[in-house]
């Protein structure tokens, strides 16, 4: 069952050369009773779309391939008055985008804004995936985990410490392996989330008046395809850095040179700055060092032009961090997780 010296090149969206010392595919919950799940592995691997892999991953890599989509039952929408709640339990290894497509085919609303995000269902709570005005935490009703050292457990959303691209699973790496996630969706929903300006503009362009979840998914798909590279052809991990949250005074200082500098309010004293804008204005959009660079259409995305290693990407990303720090006094924190040695 365990394999040794397994190449992970085809299992990460950067397409980085990396070798797992030991590799174990997890396809069945019964495997959790084996001695391999008594101690924390080096890496719990999903779709490899939020990882920066170095050339060697010592120790055990567990690849979560648990499947299954199960409807748990329907109930009148709690207080929403708009539709019927439908509860799904989905295996941690299910492909996220395939799940979104499945729910749309079933006439279920809730996941449409999160279409086309790569990766697995089991990883979706880890960084609380979000896009276009929606976050997965708003749909999650339970997270089923294998807690290393303890066993199987179910966590309620309030036990997951969800935040912006953050959760307990991210803060405590190695403690939990997510086996399945429960979601609450809606059948016959009468409204969709078009809070994100670009969605409204795209729906107008498509000539859609009363948008359905499928219309929103199409709009988001079009926007994403126009802005993000397809990792199959140009290796990348989506947003490489988090959007930094800074004191308002930092934004005001930046506005002295850039009056149009964008920001999003967080609380009375803090704002979020778009990291892509900072990298762009630091002159690094489309920049390239050997086989690594930033994407010409979106500076927040680092790309592997072919043949780069994790070390190459790390070195280039450090250059980006230093340049942005020197120019704006703002620290960029990596969103992707660095693995291996
Ligand atoms: C082109 C592109 C676009 C993207 N767009 C977005 C976006 O719009 N919004 C967004 O939020 N993200 C985005 N991402 C990032 C990425 O898709 C998400 O973070 C995704 O949830 C990662 O899933 P994965 O299965 O690939 O996880 P992996 O990369 O395999 O792992 C990521 C982390 O989760 C952990 N993990 C994985 N599976 C499990 C599990 N079953 N149990 C416990 N821990 C686990 C890993 O150990 C690791 O720490 C994008 C990435 C790419 C390449």
């Amino acid at each position: 069952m365990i394999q040794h010296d397994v190449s992970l090149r085809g299992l990460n969206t950067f397409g980085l050369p990396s070798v797992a010392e030991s590799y174990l595919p997890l396809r069945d919950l019964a495997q959790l009773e084996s001695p391999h799940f008594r101690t924390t592995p080096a890496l719990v691997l999903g779709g490899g779309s939020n990882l920066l892999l170095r050339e060697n991953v010592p120790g055990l890599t567990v690849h979560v391939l648990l499947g299954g989509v199960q409807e748990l039952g329907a109930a009148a929408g709690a207080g929403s008055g708009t539709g019927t709640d439908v509860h799904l339990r989905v295996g941690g290894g299910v492909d996220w985008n395939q799940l979104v497509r499945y729910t749309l085919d079933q006439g279920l609303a809730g996941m449409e804004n999160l279409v086309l995000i790569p990766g697995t269902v089991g990883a979706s709570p880890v960084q609380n995936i979000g896009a276009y005005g929606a976050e997965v935490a708003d749909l999650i009703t339970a997270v089923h985990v294998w807690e290393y050292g303890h066993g199987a457990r179910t966590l309620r959303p309030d036990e997951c410490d969800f935040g912006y691209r953050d959760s307990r699973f991210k803060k405590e790496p190695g403690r939990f392996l997510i086996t399945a996630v429960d979601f609450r969706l809606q059948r016959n929903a009468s409204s969709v989330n078009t809070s994100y300006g670009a969605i409204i503009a795209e729906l107008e362009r498509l000539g859609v008046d009363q948008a359905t979840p499928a219309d929103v998914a199409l709009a988001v798909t079009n926007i994403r395809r126009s802005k993000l590279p397809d990792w199959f052809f140009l290796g990348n991990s989506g947003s490489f850095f988090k959007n930094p949250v800074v004191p308002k005074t930092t934004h005001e200082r930046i506005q002295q040179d850039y009056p149009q500098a964008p920001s999003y309010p967080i609380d009375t004293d803090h704002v979020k700055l778009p990291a892509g804008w900072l990298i762009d204005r630091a002159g690094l959009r489309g920049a390239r060092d050997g086989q690594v660079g930033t994407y010409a259409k979106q500076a927040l995305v680092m790309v592997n032009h072919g043949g780069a290693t994790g070390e190459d990407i790390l070195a280039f990303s450090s250059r980006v961090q230093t340049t942005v720090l020197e120019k704006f006094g703002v620290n960029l924190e990596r969103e992707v997780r660095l693995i291996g040695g």
Side-chain angles (χ1 to χ4, degrees):
M1 211 161 37
I2 283 214
Q3 299 160 47
H4 298 285
D5 298 328
V6 172
S7 168
L8 301 178
R9 191 195 281 269
L11 299 179
N12 74 97
T13 58
F14 257 130
L16 299 171
S18 182
V19 174
E21 185 181 6
S22 308
Y23 169 89
L24 179 62
L26 173 63
R27 301 178 193 279
D28 189 328
L29 291 175
Q31 285 174 257
L32 293 169
E33 299 305 327
S34 85
H36 301 306
F37 290 91
R38 294 207 186 124
T39 49
T40 298
L43 171 62
V44 175
L45 177 67
S49 63
N50 208 21
L51 297 176
L52 178 57
L53 296 180
R54 285 180 149 144
E55 290 187 43
N56 294 299
V57 181
L60 178 64
T61 292
V62 175
H63 192 187
V64 179
L65 298 170
L66 298 164
V69 181
Q70 184 192 354
E71 189 167 326
L72 298 176
S80 63
T82 57
T84 310
D85 287 353
V86 174
H87 294 261
L88 296 184
R89 178 162 303 163
V90 188
V94 170
D95 178 82
W96 174 263
N97 190 48
Q98 281 181 17
L99 174 66
V100 177
R101 298 278 176 208
Y102 169 84
T103 61
L104 289 168
D105 288 347
Q106 298 295 310
L108 300 175
M111 294 183 166
E112 55 276 5
N113 295 56
L114 304 176
V115 70
L116 227 58
I117 298 181
T120 56
V121 166
S124 66
V126 175
Q127 75 148 355
N128 180 18
I129 56 167
Y132 298 95
E135 275 186 351
V136 77
D138 294 332
L139 305 172
I140 291 177
T141 54
V143 179
H144 304 276
V145 299
W146 177 259
E147 183 175 3
Y148 283 93
H150 292 275
R153 234 182 112 181
T154 298
L155 300 178
R156 297 184 312 269
D158 62 301
E159 295 174 295
C160 297
D161 202 8
F162 287 123
Y164 163 66
R165 299 295 176 275
D166 205 5
S167 73
R168 180 175 186 185
F169 311 108
K170 199 163 187 177
K171 289 185 189 116
E172 300 176 56
R175 179 163 175 188
F176 302 105
L177 183 155
I178 296 170
T179 54
V181 183
D182 292 355
F183 300 98
R184 180 173 49 227
L185 302 173
Q186 282 225 315
R187 199 179 296 289
N188 303 322
S190 62
S191 61
V192 286
N193 174 357
T194 53
S195 59
Y196 200 88
I199 296 183
I200 299 175
E202 180 60 14
L203 287 170
E204 272 174 23
R205 198 190 66 79
L206 291 167
V208 174
D209 198 11
Q210 294 283 315
T212 63
D215 294 326
V216 172
L218 176 62
V220 171
T221 300
N222 290 348
I223 299 166
R224 291 185 72 100
R225 290 217 163 112
S226 70
K227 290 209 317 206
L228 289 171
D230 184 337
W231 59 266
F232 195 77
F233 300 103
L234 191 60
N236 74 90
S237 68
S239 305
F240 192 87
F241 298 107
K242 288 184 179 185
N243 291 322
V245 174
V246 297
K248 260 185 167 175
T249 46
T250 304
H251 180 237
E252 285 158 7
R253 179 174 45 71
I254 294 172
Q255 276 184 312
Q256 288 171 9
D257 290 329
Y258 297 90
Q260 307 298 327
S263 71
Y264 306 99
I266 294 292
D267 57 36
T268 47
D269 299 324
H270 295 87
V271 293
K272 196 194 289 178
L273 303 178
W277 184 90
L278 295 168
I279 299 168
D280 186 349
R281 290 306 188 280
L284 290 174
R285 180 159 60 88
R288 184 169 172 167
D289 244 356
Q291 297 312 311
V292 185
T294 54
Y295 189 51
K297 289 191 202 166
Q298 170 50 276
L300 188 50
V301 177
M302 304 267 159
V303 293
N304 175 4
H305 288 285
T309 64
E311 290 303 332
D312 296 335
I313 294 187
L314 202 55
F316 183 75
S317 70
S318 296
R319 180 184 146 199
V320 171
Q321 282 169 310
T322 307
T323 310
V324 167
L325 184 62
E326 282 171 4
K327 186 161 176 70
F328 294 110
V330 174
N331 265 311
L332 292 181
E333 194 187 325
R334 265 197 314 268
E335 183 182 294
V336 298
R337 186 171 161 209
L338 178 65
I339 298 283

